[in-house]
PDB file of all heavy atoms in Angstrom:
ATOM      1  N   LYS A  76       0.836  -1.202   0.000  1.00 95.00           N
ATOM      2  CA  LYS A  76       0.000   0.000   0.000  1.00 95.00           C
ATOM      3  C   LYS A  76       0.871   1.253   0.000  1.00 95.00           C
ATOM      4  O   LYS A  76       0.614   2.213  -0.739  1.00 95.00           O
ATOM      5  CB  LYS A  76      -0.924  -0.020   1.217  1.00 95.00           C
ATOM      6  CG  LYS A  76      -1.927   1.137   1.238  1.00 95.00           C
ATOM      7  CD  LYS A  76      -2.882   0.987   2.421  1.00 95.00           C
ATOM      8  CE  LYS A  76      -3.893   2.142   2.443  1.00 95.00           C
ATOM      9  NZ  LYS A  76      -4.834   2.011   3.585  1.00 95.00           N
ATOM     10  N   GLN A  77       1.953   1.259   0.788  1.00 95.00           N
ATOM     11  CA  GLN A  77       2.838   2.419   0.863  1.00 95.00           C
ATOM     12  C   GLN A  77       3.637   2.589  -0.433  1.00 95.00           C
ATOM     13  O   GLN A  77       3.830   3.704  -0.918  1.00 95.00           O
ATOM     14  CB  GLN A  77       3.793   2.273   2.053  1.00 95.00           C
ATOM     15  CG  GLN A  77       3.108   2.267   3.413  1.00 95.00           C
ATOM     16  CD  GLN A  77       2.352   3.559   3.689  1.00 95.00           C
ATOM     17  OE1 GLN A  77       2.784   4.650   3.280  1.00 95.00           O
ATOM     18  NE2 GLN A  77       1.203   3.455   4.348  1.00 95.00           N
ATOM     19  N   ILE A  78       4.102   1.457  -1.001  1.00 95.00           N
ATOM     20  CA  ILE A  78       4.873   1.519  -2.253  1.00 95.00           C
ATOM     21  C   ILE A  78       3.998   2.070  -3.373  1.00 95.00           C
ATOM     22  O   ILE A  78       4.448   2.870  -4.207  1.00 95.00           O
ATOM     23  CB  ILE A  78       5.426   0.119  -2.609  1.00 95.00           C
ATOM     24  CG1 ILE A  78       6.456  -0.334  -1.566  1.00 95.00           C
ATOM     25  CG2 ILE A  78       6.057   0.115  -3.997  1.00 95.00           C
ATOM     26  CD1 ILE A  78       6.896  -1.772  -1.705  1.00 95.00           C
ATOM     27  N   ASP A  79       2.731   1.641  -3.376  1.00 95.00           N
ATOM     28  CA  ASP A  79       1.786   2.127  -4.392  1.00 95.00           C
ATOM     29  C   ASP A  79       1.597   3.634  -4.241  1.00 95.00           C
ATOM     30  O   ASP A  79       1.562   4.376  -5.226  1.00 95.00           O
ATOM     31  CB  ASP A  79       0.464   1.382  -4.227  1.00 95.00           C
ATOM     32  CG  ASP A  79      -0.463   1.589  -5.420  1.00 95.00           C
ATOM     33  OD1 ASP A  79       0.056   1.790  -6.541  1.00 95.00           O
ATOM     34  OD2 ASP A  79      -1.679   1.547  -5.239  1.00 95.00           O
ATOM     35  N   THR A  80       1.497   4.064  -3.000  1.00 94.00           N
ATOM     36  CA  THR A  80       1.304   5.493  -2.726  1.00 94.00           C
ATOM     37  C   THR A  80       2.529   6.310  -3.145  1.00 94.00           C
ATOM     38  O   THR A  80       2.404   7.424  -3.660  1.00 94.00           O
ATOM     39  CB  THR A  80       1.019   5.704  -1.233  1.00 94.00           C
ATOM     40  OG1 THR A  80      -0.150   4.961  -0.863  1.00 94.00           O
ATOM     41  CG2 THR A  80       0.810   7.170  -0.917  1.00 94.00           C
ATOM     42  N   LEU A  81       3.718   5.751  -2.936  1.00 95.00           N
ATOM     43  CA  LEU A  81       4.952   6.464  -3.243  1.00 95.00           C
ATOM     44  C   LEU A  81       5.244   6.514  -4.744  1.00 95.00           C
ATOM     45  O   LEU A  81       6.168   7.195  -5.176  1.00 95.00           O
ATOM     46  CB  LEU A  81       6.132   5.813  -2.513  1.00 95.00           C
ATOM     47  CG  LEU A  81       6.100   5.950  -0.973  1.00 95.00           C
ATOM     48  CD1 LEU A  81       7.208   5.127  -0.341  1.00 95.00           C
ATOM     49  CD2 LEU A  81       6.233   7.422  -0.576  1.00 95.00           C
ATOM     50  N   GLY A  82       4.500   5.773  -5.551  1.00 94.00           N
ATOM     51  CA  GLY A  82       4.627   5.878  -7.000  1.00 94.00           C
ATOM     52  C   GLY A  82       5.747   5.067  -7.614  1.00 94.00           C
ATOM     53  O   GLY A  82       6.498   5.582  -8.456  1.00 94.00           O
ATOM     54  N   ALA A  83       5.869   3.801  -7.230  1.00 95.00           N
ATOM     55  CA  ALA A  83       6.854   2.920  -7.864  1.00 95.00           C
ATOM     56  C   ALA A  83       6.475   2.672  -9.319  1.00 95.00           C
ATOM     57  O   ALA A  83       5.298   2.726  -9.693  1.00 95.00           O
ATOM     58  CB  ALA A  83       6.941   1.600  -7.103  1.00 95.00           C
ATOM     59  N   LYS A  84       7.467   2.370 -10.154  1.00 95.00           N
ATOM     60  CA  LYS A  84       7.202   2.104 -11.570  1.00 95.00           C
ATOM     61  C   LYS A  84       6.613   0.711 -11.766  1.00 95.00           C
ATOM     62  O   LYS A  84       5.768   0.495 -12.634  1.00 95.00           O
ATOM     63  CB  LYS A  84       8.496   2.238 -12.379  1.00 95.00           C
ATOM     64  CG  LYS A  84       8.301   2.028 -13.872  1.00 95.00           C
ATOM     65  CD  LYS A  84       9.599   2.173 -14.655  1.00 95.00           C
ATOM     66  CE  LYS A  84      10.005   3.634 -14.765  1.00 95.00           C
ATOM     67  NZ  LYS A  84      11.162   3.793 -15.716  1.00 95.00           N
ATOM     68  N   GLY A  85       7.023  -0.218 -10.980  1.00 95.00           N
ATOM     69  CA  GLY A  85       6.517  -1.580 -11.058  1.00 95.00           C
ATOM     70  C   GLY A  85       6.996  -2.367  -9.863  1.00 95.00           C
ATOM     71  O   GLY A  85       8.024  -2.039  -9.247  1.00 95.00           O
ATOM     72  N   ILE A  86       6.256  -3.413  -9.499  1.00 96.00           N
ATOM     73  CA  ILE A  86       6.586  -4.217  -8.317  1.00 96.00           C
ATOM     74  C   ILE A  86       6.657  -5.679  -8.730  1.00 96.00           C
ATOM     75  O   ILE A  86       5.746  -6.202  -9.381  1.00 96.00           O
ATOM     76  CB  ILE A  86       5.536  -4.036  -7.201  1.00 96.00           C
ATOM     77  CG1 ILE A  86       5.410  -2.559  -6.817  1.00 96.00           C
ATOM     78  CG2 ILE A  86       5.904  -4.879  -5.983  1.00 96.00           C
ATOM     79  CD1 ILE A  86       4.241  -2.280  -5.875  1.00 96.00           C
ATOM     80  N   GLY A  87       7.733  -6.335  -8.330  1.00 96.00           N
ATOM     81  CA  GLY A  87       7.870  -7.772  -8.540  1.00 96.00           C
ATOM     82  C   GLY A  87       8.021  -8.462  -7.208  1.00 96.00           C
ATOM     83  O   GLY A  87       8.877  -8.076  -6.394  1.00 96.00           O
ATOM     84  N   ILE A  88       7.186  -9.456  -6.966  1.00 96.00           N
ATOM     85  CA  ILE A  88       7.205 -10.134  -5.664  1.00 96.00           C
ATOM     86  C   ILE A  88       7.807 -11.524  -5.847  1.00 96.00           C
ATOM     87  O   ILE A  88       7.245 -12.381  -6.541  1.00 96.00           O
ATOM     88  CB  ILE A  88       5.793 -10.228  -5.070  1.00 96.00           C
ATOM     89  CG1 ILE A  88       5.212  -8.823  -4.879  1.00 96.00           C
ATOM     90  CG2 ILE A  88       5.820 -10.983  -3.742  1.00 96.00           C
ATOM     91  CD1 ILE A  88       3.789  -8.813  -4.339  1.00 96.00           C
ATOM     92  N   ASP A  89       8.970 -11.756  -5.231  1.00 94.00           N
ATOM     93  CA  ASP A  89       9.672 -13.039  -5.314  1.00 94.00           C
ATOM     94  C   ASP A  89       9.320 -13.903  -4.105  1.00 94.00           C
ATOM     95  O   ASP A  89      10.202 -14.406  -3.393  1.00 94.00           O
ATOM     96  CB  ASP A  89      11.181 -12.782  -5.395  1.00 94.00           C
ATOM     97  CG  ASP A  89      11.966 -14.067  -5.637  1.00 94.00           C
ATOM     98  OD1 ASP A  89      11.380 -15.043  -6.134  1.00 94.00           O
ATOM     99  OD2 ASP A  89      13.180 -14.093  -5.316  1.00 94.00           O
ATOM    100  N   ILE A  90       8.027 -14.046  -3.858  1.00 93.00           N
ATOM    101  CA  ILE A  90       7.521 -14.853  -2.743  1.00 93.00           C
ATOM    102  C   ILE A  90       6.362 -15.677  -3.272  1.00 93.00           C
ATOM    103  O   ILE A  90       5.445 -15.137  -3.910  1.00 93.00           O
ATOM    104  CB  ILE A  90       7.054 -13.974  -1.565  1.00 93.00           C
ATOM    105  CG1 ILE A  90       8.216 -13.138  -1.016  1.00 93.00           C
ATOM    106  CG2 ILE A  90       6.448 -14.830  -0.456  1.00 93.00           C
ATOM    107  CD1 ILE A  90       7.781 -12.070  -0.039  1.00 93.00           C
ATOM    108  N   LEU A  91       6.375 -16.975  -3.025  1.00 92.00           N
ATOM    109  CA  LEU A  91       5.320 -17.855  -3.525  1.00 92.00           C
ATOM    110  C   LEU A  91       4.171 -17.917  -2.521  1.00 92.00           C
ATOM    111  O   LEU A  91       4.373 -18.237  -1.340  1.00 92.00           O
ATOM    112  CB  LEU A  91       5.875 -19.267  -3.762  1.00 92.00           C
ATOM    113  CG  LEU A  91       6.887 -19.418  -4.911  1.00 92.00           C
ATOM    114  CD1 LEU A  91       7.490 -20.815  -4.911  1.00 92.00           C
ATOM    115  CD2 LEU A  91       6.232 -19.104  -6.249  1.00 92.00           C
ATOM    116  N   PHE A  92       2.951 -17.642  -2.995  1.00 92.00           N
ATOM    117  CA  PHE A  92       1.750 -17.758  -2.163  1.00 92.00           C
ATOM    118  C   PHE A  92       1.127 -19.127  -2.436  1.00 92.00           C
ATOM    119  O   PHE A  92       0.071 -19.242  -3.051  1.00 92.00           O
ATOM    120  CB  PHE A  92       0.772 -16.625  -2.502  1.00 92.00           C
ATOM    121  CG  PHE A  92       1.380 -15.257  -2.352  1.00 92.00           C
ATOM    122  CD1 PHE A  92       1.349 -14.346  -3.408  1.00 92.00           C
ATOM    123  CD2 PHE A  92       1.983 -14.878  -1.169  1.00 92.00           C
ATOM    124  CE1 PHE A  92       1.910 -13.087  -3.274  1.00 92.00           C
ATOM    125  CE2 PHE A  92       2.548 -13.612  -1.022  1.00 92.00           C
ATOM    126  CZ  PHE A  92       2.520 -12.715  -2.075  1.00 92.00           C
ATOM    127  N   ASP A  93       1.840 -20.161  -1.978  1.00 89.00           N
ATOM    128  CA  ASP A  93       1.454 -21.532  -2.337  1.00 89.00           C
ATOM    129  C   ASP A  93       0.748 -22.271  -1.204  1.00 89.00           C
ATOM    130  O   ASP A  93       0.598 -23.489  -1.259  1.00 89.00           O
ATOM    131  CB  ASP A  93       2.682 -22.323  -2.778  1.00 89.00           C
ATOM    132  CG  ASP A  93       3.798 -22.291  -1.739  1.00 89.00           C
ATOM    133  OD1 ASP A  93       3.601 -21.686  -0.663  1.00 89.00           O
ATOM    134  OD2 ASP A  93       4.872 -22.862  -1.999  1.00 89.00           O
ATOM    135  N   SER A  94       0.334 -21.535  -0.171  1.00 89.00           N
ATOM    136  CA  SER A  94      -0.442 -22.166   0.900  1.00 89.00           C
ATOM    137  C   SER A  94      -1.337 -21.098   1.539  1.00 89.00           C
ATOM    138  O   SER A  94      -0.891 -19.973   1.769  1.00 89.00           O
ATOM    139  CB  SER A  94       0.491 -22.776   1.954  1.00 89.00           C
ATOM    140  OG  SER A  94       1.320 -21.788   2.531  1.00 89.00           O
ATOM    141  N   PRO A  95      -2.583 -21.429   1.790  1.00 89.00           N
ATOM    142  CA  PRO A  95      -3.525 -20.449   2.377  1.00 89.00           C
ATOM    143  C   PRO A  95      -3.061 -19.995   3.759  1.00 89.00           C
ATOM    144  O   PRO A  95      -2.510 -20.776   4.534  1.00 89.00           O
ATOM    145  CB  PRO A  95      -4.835 -21.230   2.452  1.00 89.00           C
ATOM    146  CG  PRO A  95      -4.672 -22.362   1.482  1.00 89.00           C
ATOM    147  CD  PRO A  95      -3.234 -22.732   1.513  1.00 89.00           C
ATOM    148  N   GLN A  96      -3.301 -18.694   4.065  1.00 91.00           N
ATOM    149  CA  GLN A  96      -2.946 -18.119   5.352  1.00 91.00           C
ATOM    150  C   GLN A  96      -4.120 -17.293   5.882  1.00 91.00           C
ATOM    151  O   GLN A  96      -4.953 -16.781   5.096  1.00 91.00           O
ATOM    152  CB  GLN A  96      -1.711 -17.234   5.212  1.00 91.00           C
ATOM    153  CG  GLN A  96      -0.446 -17.970   4.829  1.00 91.00           C
ATOM    154  CD  GLN A  96      -0.006 -18.979   5.877  1.00 91.00           C
ATOM    155  OE1 GLN A  96       0.109 -18.651   7.068  1.00 91.00           O
ATOM    156  NE2 GLN A  96       0.205 -20.207   5.431  1.00 91.00           N
ATOM    157  N   PRO A  97      -4.218 -17.118   7.213  1.00 90.00           N
ATOM    158  CA  PRO A  97      -5.342 -16.362   7.791  1.00 90.00           C
ATOM    159  C   PRO A  97      -5.417 -14.918   7.296  1.00 90.00           C
ATOM    160  O   PRO A  97      -6.503 -14.344   7.219  1.00 90.00           O
ATOM    161  CB  PRO A  97      -5.053 -16.421   9.301  1.00 90.00           C
ATOM    162  CG  PRO A  97      -4.196 -17.640   9.479  1.00 90.00           C
ATOM    163  CD  PRO A  97      -3.364 -17.738   8.257  1.00 90.00           C
ATOM    164  N   ASP A  98      -4.272 -14.318   6.984  1.00 89.00           N
ATOM    165  CA  ASP A  98      -4.296 -12.916   6.581  1.00 89.00           C
ATOM    166  C   ASP A  98      -4.387 -12.746   5.064  1.00 89.00           C
ATOM    167  O   ASP A  98      -4.124 -11.667   4.532  1.00 89.00           O
ATOM    168  CB  ASP A  98      -3.063 -12.184   7.116  1.00 89.00           C
ATOM    169  CG  ASP A  98      -1.759 -12.930   6.828  1.00 89.00           C
ATOM    170  OD1 ASP A  98      -1.826 -14.011   6.211  1.00 89.00           O
ATOM    171  OD2 ASP A  98      -0.685 -12.430   7.222  1.00 89.00           O
ATOM    172  N   ASP A  99      -4.769 -13.823   4.347  1.00 91.00           N
ATOM    173  CA  ASP A  99      -4.911 -13.719   2.891  1.00 91.00           C
ATOM    174  C   ASP A  99      -5.941 -12.668   2.462  1.00 91.00           C
ATOM    175  O   ASP A  99      -5.712 -11.947   1.479  1.00 91.00           O
ATOM    176  CB  ASP A  99      -5.282 -15.081   2.294  1.00 91.00           C
ATOM    177  CG  ASP A  99      -4.053 -15.960   2.124  1.00 91.00           C
ATOM    178  OD1 ASP A  99      -2.928 -15.425   2.188  1.00 91.00           O
ATOM    179  OD2 ASP A  99      -4.208 -17.180   1.916  1.00 91.00           O
ATOM    180  N   PRO A 100      -7.095 -12.565   3.138  1.00 93.00           N
ATOM    181  CA  PRO A 100      -8.082 -11.566   2.689  1.00 93.00           C
ATOM    182  C   PRO A 100      -7.511 -10.153   2.627  1.00 93.00           C
ATOM    183  O   PRO A 100      -7.791  -9.401   1.696  1.00 93.00           O
ATOM    184  CB  PRO A 100      -9.194 -11.688   3.733  1.00 93.00           C
ATOM    185  CG  PRO A 100      -9.098 -13.110   4.194  1.00 93.00           C
ATOM    186  CD  PRO A 100      -7.634 -13.410   4.229  1.00 93.00           C
ATOM    187  N   LEU A 101      -6.690  -9.777   3.636  1.00 94.00           N
ATOM    188  CA  LEU A 101      -6.096  -8.442   3.647  1.00 94.00           C
ATOM    189  C   LEU A 101      -5.179  -8.248   2.446  1.00 94.00           C
ATOM    190  O   LEU A 101      -5.241  -7.228   1.750  1.00 94.00           O
ATOM    191  CB  LEU A 101      -5.321  -8.220   4.951  1.00 94.00           C
ATOM    192  CG  LEU A 101      -4.536  -6.902   5.036  1.00 94.00           C
ATOM    193  CD1 LEU A 101      -5.471  -5.701   4.923  1.00 94.00           C
ATOM    194  CD2 LEU A 101      -3.726  -6.856   6.328  1.00 94.00           C
ATOM    195  N   LEU A 102      -4.323  -9.242   2.189  1.00 94.00           N
ATOM    196  CA  LEU A 102      -3.380  -9.116   1.078  1.00 94.00           C
ATOM    197  C   LEU A 102      -4.115  -9.098  -0.258  1.00 94.00           C
ATOM    198  O   LEU A 102      -3.781  -8.310  -1.158  1.00 94.00           O
ATOM    199  CB  LEU A 102      -2.362 -10.264   1.114  1.00 94.00           C
ATOM    200  CG  LEU A 102      -1.313 -10.266   0.002  1.00 94.00           C
ATOM    201  CD1 LEU A 102      -0.513  -8.962  -0.008  1.00 94.00           C
ATOM    202  CD2 LEU A 102      -0.369 -11.463   0.149  1.00 94.00           C
ATOM    203  N   LYS A 103      -5.124  -9.938  -0.382  1.00 94.00           N
ATOM    204  CA  LYS A 103      -5.865  -9.982  -1.644  1.00 94.00           C
ATOM    205  C   LYS A 103      -6.559  -8.650  -1.933  1.00 94.00           C
ATOM    206  O   LYS A 103      -6.541  -8.157  -3.060  1.00 94.00           O
ATOM    207  CB  LYS A 103      -6.881 -11.114  -1.608  1.00 94.00           C
ATOM    208  CG  LYS A 103      -6.262 -12.504  -1.715  1.00 94.00           C
ATOM    209  CD  LYS A 103      -7.331 -13.586  -1.710  1.00 94.00           C
ATOM    210  CE  LYS A 103      -6.722 -14.976  -1.850  1.00 94.00           C
ATOM    211  NZ  LYS A 103      -7.764 -16.032  -1.881  1.00 94.00           N
ATOM    212  N   SER A 104      -7.168  -8.110  -0.906  1.00 94.00           N
ATOM    213  CA  SER A 104      -7.862  -6.828  -1.115  1.00 94.00           C
ATOM    214  C   SER A 104      -6.861  -5.735  -1.476  1.00 94.00           C
ATOM    215  O   SER A 104      -7.145  -4.858  -2.296  1.00 94.00           O
ATOM    216  CB  SER A 104      -8.647  -6.451   0.144  1.00 94.00           C
ATOM    217  OG  SER A 104      -7.775  -6.253   1.242  1.00 94.00           O
ATOM    218  N   THR A 105      -5.685  -5.779  -0.863  1.00 95.00           N
ATOM    219  CA  THR A 105      -4.646  -4.797  -1.187  1.00 95.00           C
ATOM    220  C   THR A 105      -4.192  -4.938  -2.636  1.00 95.00           C
ATOM    221  O   THR A 105      -4.030  -3.948  -3.360  1.00 95.00           O
ATOM    222  CB  THR A 105      -3.449  -4.960  -0.242  1.00 95.00           C
ATOM    223  OG1 THR A 105      -3.882  -4.801   1.111  1.00 95.00           O
ATOM    224  CG2 THR A 105      -2.364  -3.931  -0.558  1.00 95.00           C
ATOM    225  N   LEU A 106      -3.982  -6.180  -3.080  1.00 95.00           N
ATOM    226  CA  LEU A 106      -3.529  -6.416  -4.453  1.00 95.00           C
ATOM    227  C   LEU A 106      -4.567  -5.935  -5.468  1.00 95.00           C
ATOM    228  O   LEU A 106      -4.223  -5.331  -6.491  1.00 95.00           O
ATOM    229  CB  LEU A 106      -3.234  -7.907  -4.660  1.00 95.00           C
ATOM    230  CG  LEU A 106      -1.963  -8.451  -3.974  1.00 95.00           C
ATOM    231  CD1 LEU A 106      -1.908  -9.970  -4.051  1.00 95.00           C
ATOM    232  CD2 LEU A 106      -0.712  -7.845  -4.614  1.00 95.00           C
ATOM    233  N   LYS A 107      -5.830  -6.203  -5.181  1.00 94.00           N
ATOM    234  CA  LYS A 107      -6.879  -5.792  -6.124  1.00 94.00           C
ATOM    235  C   LYS A 107      -7.005  -4.268  -6.224  1.00 94.00           C
ATOM    236  O   LYS A 107      -7.467  -3.753  -7.240  1.00 94.00           O
ATOM    237  CB  LYS A 107      -8.209  -6.392  -5.698  1.00 94.00           C
ATOM    238  CG  LYS A 107      -8.277  -7.903  -5.898  1.00 94.00           C
ATOM    239  CD  LYS A 107      -9.615  -8.460  -5.429  1.00 94.00           C
ATOM    240  CE  LYS A 107      -9.681  -9.977  -5.624  1.00 94.00           C
ATOM    241  NZ  LYS A 107     -10.984 -10.543  -5.178  1.00 94.00           N
ATOM    242  N   ALA A 108      -6.550  -3.603  -5.172  1.00 93.00           N
ATOM    243  CA  ALA A 108      -6.670  -2.137  -5.169  1.00 93.00           C
ATOM    244  C   ALA A 108      -5.428  -1.446  -5.714  1.00 93.00           C
ATOM    245  O   ALA A 108      -5.387  -0.224  -5.811  1.00 93.00           O
ATOM    246  CB  ALA A 108      -6.939  -1.662  -3.739  1.00 93.00           C
ATOM    247  N   MET A 109      -4.384  -2.217  -6.092  1.00 94.00           N
ATOM    248  CA  MET A 109      -3.118  -1.634  -6.532  1.00 94.00           C
ATOM    249  C   MET A 109      -3.267  -0.913  -7.865  1.00 94.00           C
ATOM    250  O   MET A 109      -3.919  -1.390  -8.791  1.00 94.00           O
ATOM    251  CB  MET A 109      -2.051  -2.719  -6.655  1.00 94.00           C
ATOM    252  CG  MET A 109      -1.641  -3.355  -5.336  1.00 94.00           C
ATOM    253  SD  MET A 109      -0.757  -2.232  -4.237  1.00 94.00           S
ATOM    254  CE  MET A 109       0.761  -2.020  -5.148  1.00 94.00           C
ATOM    255  N   LYS A 110      -2.648   0.283  -7.967  1.00 95.00           N
ATOM    256  CA  LYS A 110      -2.583   1.035  -9.213  1.00 95.00           C
ATOM    257  C   LYS A 110      -1.249   0.781  -9.927  1.00 95.00           C
ATOM    258  O   LYS A 110      -1.149   0.914 -11.142  1.00 95.00           O
ATOM    259  CB  LYS A 110      -2.731   2.538  -8.930  1.00 95.00           C
ATOM    260  CG  LYS A 110      -4.034   2.909  -8.210  1.00 95.00           C
ATOM    261  CD  LYS A 110      -5.245   2.509  -9.016  1.00 95.00           C
ATOM    262  CE  LYS A 110      -6.536   2.912  -8.287  1.00 95.00           C
ATOM    263  NZ  LYS A 110      -7.747   2.439  -9.023  1.00 95.00           N
ATOM    264  N   THR A 111      -0.231   0.450  -9.115  1.00 95.00           N
ATOM    265  CA  THR A 111       1.089   0.127  -9.670  1.00 95.00           C
ATOM    266  C   THR A 111       1.077  -1.308 -10.187  1.00 95.00           C
ATOM    267  O   THR A 111       0.542  -2.205  -9.513  1.00 95.00           O
ATOM    268  CB  THR A 111       2.182   0.267  -8.589  1.00 95.00           C
ATOM    269  OG1 THR A 111       2.113   1.583  -8.031  1.00 95.00           O
ATOM    270  CG2 THR A 111       3.559   0.009  -9.167  1.00 95.00           C
TER     271      THR A 111
END
């Protein structure tokens, strides 16, 4: 959320989301709202 606000050119995430976690809803909602 902060990186999006600061105006990055692009974001690459080198982390695999290969197992469900309790805080997935928060991350998913954040990703769907990303402009970057």
Side-chain angles (χ1 to χ4, degrees):
K76 185 176 180 180
Q77 296 299 325
I78 294 171
D79 193 30
T80 301
L81 293 173
K84 182 180 286 189
I86 303 171
I88 300 178
D89 186 22
I90 299 169
L91 292 172
F92 304 126
D93 54 2
S94 60
Q96 295 297 309
D98 49 0
D99 279 345
L101 175 61
L102 180 57
K103 287 181 179 181
S104 63
T105 302
L106 288 170
K107 290 179 180 180
M109 293 292 292
K110 302 300 181 184
T111 305

